[in-house]
Amino acid sequence: MKVLKFGGTSVGSSKNINNVISILENYGKSDTVVCVVSAVGGITDKLLLAGNQALNKDHNFLETYEDIVSKHFDLIKELNPTDSKTILGYVEERLRGLKSLLEGIYLINELSPKTSDKLVSYGELLSSFIIAETMKNRGLSANRKNSQELIITNSNFSKAEVDYSITNENIKGYFKTVQEDITILPGFISKSKIGEITTLGRGGSDFTAAIVAAALDVDQLEIWTDVSGMFTTNPKLVKQAYPIDKISYQEAMELSHFGAKVLYPPTVQPVLSLNIPIHIKNTLEPEAVGTIISNDETNSTAPVKGISNISNIALLTLEGSGMVGIPGFSKRLFETLSQEKINIIMITQASSEHSICLAIEAQDAEAAKVAIDAVFENEIELNKIDPIIIETGLSIIALVGDNMKNHQGISGKMFSSLGKNNINIRAIAQGASEKNITAVIGEKDVKKALNTLHEQFFEAQNKQINVFITGVGNVGERLVEQIKQQKKYLKDNLKIKLRIVGLSNSRRMIFDEHGLDLKNWKADLADGQEASLQGFFENVKALNLRNSIFVDVTANKEISELYAQYLRESIAVVACNKIACSSDFENYKLLKRLSLKYNAPFLFETNVGAGLPIIDTLNNLVASGDKVNSIQAVLSGSLNFVFNNFNDSTKFYDIVKQAGAEGYTEPDPRIDLSGVDVARKILILARESGVEMNLEDIENSSFLSESGQKSGSVDDFYETLIQDEAHYQALYASAKANNSQLKYVAKFDNGKASVGLQEIPEGHPFYNLEGSDNIVMFYTERYPTNPMIIKGAGAGADVTASGLFADIIRLGND
């Protein structure tokens, strides 16, 4: 004998019901079949809605009732296009009874649990009748038996307790006499010993099937639903979730208790002692393997089997110094909630006995507070304890696995990965069996938490990085193209799944939480929403994705002032914008502190030397205990390009224009030619060496003409270059006469820094520096006479983009 159960989605449409009938017909060819069915998808909710509308004197209950009528009539006609009169007659009669019940609720203004059970019982009674009669019309050997005549309970309405001795005898006795191949049973519904209609709780159709399977001691119970088994976590929130092939009863109960909707928690109990496996199958994909729940060894060494969550949770906290060392507080607290029929989902208590935290459903929070404050009224008045504290907007997440107790560090990995992604934990509990670790977090963080934990425990070979880029001009465009080109390489070789989720320029911005399609990103960006700096941040924050990185590819001061906001949300910042790290020293230190406090890396390698590993090398020297004595450097690829190409046969204006056209200077060339850019770079290196210094402390000897220094606009500045050509030619002539090269040099020595144009003699390491190359020489205690030298291309869109890309990859490898 086979026992199968089909849920609401499985019988939610004529198409799905036809799938169910096909499955049953196939099973019925070789065995006797018992099929438990839920109400048609969505009908139980509509019945409850109609009841509450009637209770609240809302005439719309009649409209909701008509929706229920239409849904069932449409199903009957679609399933039985040529012979539906008999079925329609019975259903019409039952629906008239439903209407009378709703009108009674409206008139007497009463909807007790007893009446509610009678109300929702209509769903299963109607669906089971329609399916059974449809099968008969198609010539199948089928019949319906009302489960209320088999399953007997107490009078605990809405979640009745089964009397197994009577129920088992009823089931065994009935099925000894069954002649049909297929028996349809309505799930969820039952009757009390005195004949009152009761229900087994939402999800009770699973329970009905388990009760029948246990009474008949079948080989296997099959639960057919709309997903292919129990998943590693909620597949609606985590795209990478996948079905679990095999799972133990205990793991299944833990997962279902903590919100896995595939299985109603009490379902396991009737079949557990008999070791009857439960097979979760997909009605829409009958060929899918599904999940088998049993006591058999799964041969799985994975410590975590699944991750589950419960939404709409409230956290109750009872605390006070008067609780310490005084017995009875817990007893009174739990008894109070029991009397109010409030279920406790999670408990945690401080070892000092100063506080007890309870997680309950949010809908019960106010009733719990009123009841608890009343019970402890005297202690509250005497200031021995505080009035109960309620926190809402919370959810529970739980790691579940039989093997967790045999693995060290599971909780460490769990809380570390959540902390790195700025997910605050309000309460923690772990059972003595070590089969689950439970945490209460904010509702807004559930999706990020599930994705973070799933990646940690089920996708160990891959790490997803979510990138948000502001500034897609020359450098930013190259960065996007490099990411586009290297995505497959990163995934295959570094196990990094890199996605660009947001892009912005000064006019438009676009977002896609699943990752932007980079094939036509320019056109998509042009059609995006209006850009704003704060708006971009708010979107990044609202998406709340794990492993998020904000990339600033601008020279915008206002954007640099937002870094602190990103870091406080545990969003890493990667910047080629030098303004933040060369701003006031206190702001620089603040960003460093925020990075540490919120575990959000702040990387700015491209601030100095574009793609050259200058800052990284310096940090490694300092971290290893070396001390920097002095730094000598040519740090402007722009100025090096200018002075390597300027001579007595060229014009200074033409060379500066060429440098701008080739992307070596900022759009405003004064930033480069004034020496401010180089001053910022040596300032950053000095600070990273451990020295407190501000930009105004750096001596800057400008080589620009007086009119060039005073120019009020970019156009005015270019005009001065034409007018003051003789000034620049004189600089070149002096260097040539001294057999030297003009280089713009930055120095840091004995706590002082300077920048300025110098004549570099032949034989000096800077003399043959070509093109836009940079060079840095670190003189340290370990390199006192022969410095550590870093040399290479220090400007240009491609190398700067590659430097940003390297920082992003570094974060991906952390």
Side-chain angles (χ1 to χ4, degrees), residues 313-316 337 342-348 357-362 394-396 427 438 440:
I313 292 297
L315 195 64
L316 307 184
L337 294 174
I342 295 173
N343 184 43
I344 299 171
I345 301 170
M346 191 192 87
I347 304 169
T348 181
C357 286
L358 306 173
I360 64 173
E361 292 184 9
L394 302 173
S395 285
I396 287 177
T438 309
V440 178

Short mmCIF file of all heavy atoms in Angstrom, two decimals, residues 313-316 337 342-348 357-362 394-396 427 438 440:
data_model
loop_
_atom_site.label_atom_id
_atom_site.label_comp_id
_atom_site.label_asym_id
_atom_site.label_seq_id
_atom_site.Cartn_x
_atom_site.Cartn_y
_atom_site.Cartn_z
N ILE A 313 9.16 37.48 13.90
CA ILE A 313 9.48 37.05 15.26
C ILE A 313 9.57 38.27 16.18
O ILE A 313 10.02 39.35 15.78
CB ILE A 313 10.83 36.29 15.26
CG1 ILE A 313 10.69 34.97 14.54
CG2 ILE A 313 11.35 36.07 16.69
CD1 ILE A 313 9.73 33.99 15.17
N ALA A 314 9.14 38.08 17.42
CA ALA A 314 9.32 39.09 18.46
C ALA A 314 10.20 38.50 19.54
O ALA A 314 10.11 37.31 19.86
CB ALA A 314 7.98 39.52 19.03
N LEU A 315 11.07 39.33 20.09
CA LEU A 315 11.95 38.90 21.17
C LEU A 315 11.48 39.54 22.47
O LEU A 315 11.38 40.77 22.57
CB LEU A 315 13.39 39.32 20.86
CG LEU A 315 14.51 38.66 21.67
CD1 LEU A 315 14.54 37.16 21.40
CD2 LEU A 315 15.85 39.29 21.33
N LEU A 316 11.14 38.71 23.45
CA LEU A 316 10.71 39.19 24.76
C LEU A 316 11.88 39.05 25.73
O LEU A 316 12.51 38.00 25.80
CB LEU A 316 9.53 38.38 25.29
CG LEU A 316 8.30 38.21 24.39
CD1 LEU A 316 7.22 37.47 25.16
CD2 LEU A 316 7.78 39.56 23.94
N LEU A 337 2.80 32.06 29.62
CA LEU A 337 2.70 31.94 28.16
C LEU A 337 1.91 30.71 27.77
O LEU A 337 1.14 30.74 26.80
CB LEU A 337 4.10 31.90 27.55
CG LEU A 337 4.92 33.20 27.70
CD1 LEU A 337 6.34 33.00 27.19
CD2 LEU A 337 4.27 34.35 26.95
N ILE A 342 0.59 30.60 23.93
CA ILE A 342 1.64 31.24 23.12
C ILE A 342 2.83 30.31 23.03
O ILE A 342 3.40 29.91 24.05
CB ILE A 342 2.05 32.60 23.72
CG1 ILE A 342 0.87 33.58 23.66
CG2 ILE A 342 3.26 33.17 22.99
CD1 ILE A 342 1.10 34.88 24.38
N ASN A 343 3.21 29.95 21.83
CA ASN A 343 4.30 29.01 21.60
C ASN A 343 5.65 29.71 21.69
O ASN A 343 5.85 30.77 21.11
CB ASN A 343 4.14 28.36 20.22
CG ASN A 343 5.19 27.30 19.97
OD1 ASN A 343 5.49 26.50 20.85
ND2 ASN A 343 5.75 27.30 18.77
N ILE A 344 6.58 29.12 22.43
CA ILE A 344 7.93 29.65 22.54
C ILE A 344 8.80 28.95 21.51
O ILE A 344 8.90 27.71 21.50
CB ILE A 344 8.51 29.43 23.95
CG1 ILE A 344 7.64 30.14 25.00
CG2 ILE A 344 9.95 29.93 24.04
CD1 ILE A 344 8.01 29.80 26.43
N ILE A 345 9.43 29.73 20.64
CA ILE A 345 10.23 29.16 19.56
C ILE A 345 11.68 28.97 19.98
O ILE A 345 12.34 28.01 19.61
CB ILE A 345 10.14 30.05 18.31
CG1 ILE A 345 8.68 30.18 17.87
CG2 ILE A 345 10.99 29.50 17.17
CD1 ILE A 345 8.46 31.22 16.81
N MET A 346 12.18 29.90 20.80
CA MET A 346 13.58 29.85 21.21
C MET A 346 13.73 30.47 22.59
O MET A 346 13.03 31.43 22.93
CB MET A 346 14.45 30.61 20.21
CG MET A 346 15.95 30.40 20.37
SD MET A 346 16.91 31.57 19.38
CE MET A 346 17.02 32.94 20.53
N ILE A 347 14.64 29.91 23.39
CA ILE A 347 14.90 30.42 24.74
C ILE A 347 16.39 30.60 24.92
O ILE A 347 17.19 29.75 24.51
CB ILE A 347 14.40 29.44 25.83
CG1 ILE A 347 12.92 29.11 25.65
CG2 ILE A 347 14.66 29.99 27.23
CD1 ILE A 347 12.44 27.97 26.51
N THR A 348 16.78 31.70 25.55
CA THR A 348 18.18 31.88 25.95
C THR A 348 18.19 32.65 27.26
O THR A 348 17.40 33.57 27.46
CB THR A 348 19.00 32.60 24.87
OG1 THR A 348 20.36 32.72 25.31
CG2 THR A 348 18.46 33.98 24.57
N CYS A 357 15.55 35.63 27.64
CA CYS A 357 15.03 36.06 26.34
C CYS A 357 14.22 34.94 25.71
O CYS A 357 14.65 33.78 25.72
CB CYS A 357 16.17 36.45 25.39
SG CYS A 357 16.94 38.01 25.79
N LEU A 358 13.08 35.30 25.16
CA LEU A 358 12.21 34.34 24.49
C LEU A 358 11.86 34.85 23.11
O LEU A 358 11.55 36.04 22.94
CB LEU A 358 10.91 34.13 25.28
CG LEU A 358 11.01 33.74 26.76
CD1 LEU A 358 9.63 33.76 27.37
CD2 LEU A 358 11.62 32.36 26.89
N ALA A 359 11.88 33.97 22.13
CA ALA A 359 11.42 34.32 20.79
C ALA A 359 10.05 33.70 20.58
O ALA A 359 9.86 32.50 20.80
CB ALA A 359 12.39 33.82 19.73
N ILE A 360 9.08 34.53 20.18
CA ILE A 360 7.73 34.07 19.89
C ILE A 360 7.27 34.69 18.59
O ILE A 360 7.95 35.56 18.03
CB ILE A 360 6.75 34.44 21.04
CG1 ILE A 360 6.62 35.97 21.15
CG2 ILE A 360 7.19 33.83 22.36
CD1 ILE A 360 5.55 36.42 22.14
N GLU A 361 6.11 34.27 18.10
CA GLU A 361 5.56 34.89 16.90
C GLU A 361 5.16 36.33 17.22
O GLU A 361 4.58 36.61 18.28
CB GLU A 361 4.36 34.10 16.39
CG GLU A 361 4.72 32.73 15.85
CD GLU A 361 3.54 32.00 15.26
OE1 GLU A 361 2.47 32.63 15.12
OE2 GLU A 361 3.67 30.81 14.93
N ALA A 362 5.44 37.24 16.28
CA ALA A 362 5.20 38.66 16.52
C ALA A 362 3.73 38.95 16.82
O ALA A 362 3.42 39.86 17.60
CB ALA A 362 5.67 39.48 15.32
N LEU A 394 11.97 41.11 13.67
CA LEU A 394 13.07 40.17 13.77
C LEU A 394 12.75 38.85 13.06
O LEU A 394 11.60 38.57 12.75
CB LEU A 394 13.38 39.88 15.25
CG LEU A 394 13.75 41.08 16.12
CD1 LEU A 394 13.86 40.67 17.57
CD2 LEU A 394 15.05 41.72 15.63
N SER A 395 13.79 38.07 12.83
CA SER A 395 13.67 36.72 12.27
C SER A 395 14.65 35.80 12.97
O SER A 395 15.63 36.26 13.57
CB SER A 395 13.96 36.72 10.77
OG SER A 395 12.90 37.26 10.03
N ILE A 396 14.37 34.52 12.86
CA ILE A 396 15.28 33.51 13.37
C ILE A 396 15.94 32.80 12.20
O ILE A 396 15.28 32.46 11.22
CB ILE A 396 14.54 32.48 14.24
CG1 ILE A 396 14.15 33.09 15.59
CG2 ILE A 396 15.39 31.24 14.48
CD1 ILE A 396 13.34 32.17 16.48
N ALA A 427 20.18 37.59 19.63
CA ALA A 427 20.17 36.51 20.61
C ALA A 427 20.67 35.23 19.96
O ALA A 427 20.55 35.06 18.74
CB ALA A 427 18.77 36.30 21.18
N THR A 438 21.10 28.57 16.63
CA THR A 438 20.01 29.48 16.29
C THR A 438 20.39 30.90 16.66
O THR A 438 20.99 31.14 17.72
CB THR A 438 18.73 29.08 17.05
OG1 THR A 438 18.49 27.70 16.86
CG2 THR A 438 17.54 29.87 16.57
N VAL A 440 18.88 35.15 16.43
CA VAL A 440 17.83 36.12 16.10
C VAL A 440 18.49 37.33 15.45
O VAL A 440 19.43 37.90 16.00
CB VAL A 440 17.05 36.55 17.36
CG1 VAL A 440 15.99 37.58 17.01
CG2 VAL A 440 16.42 35.35 18.05
#
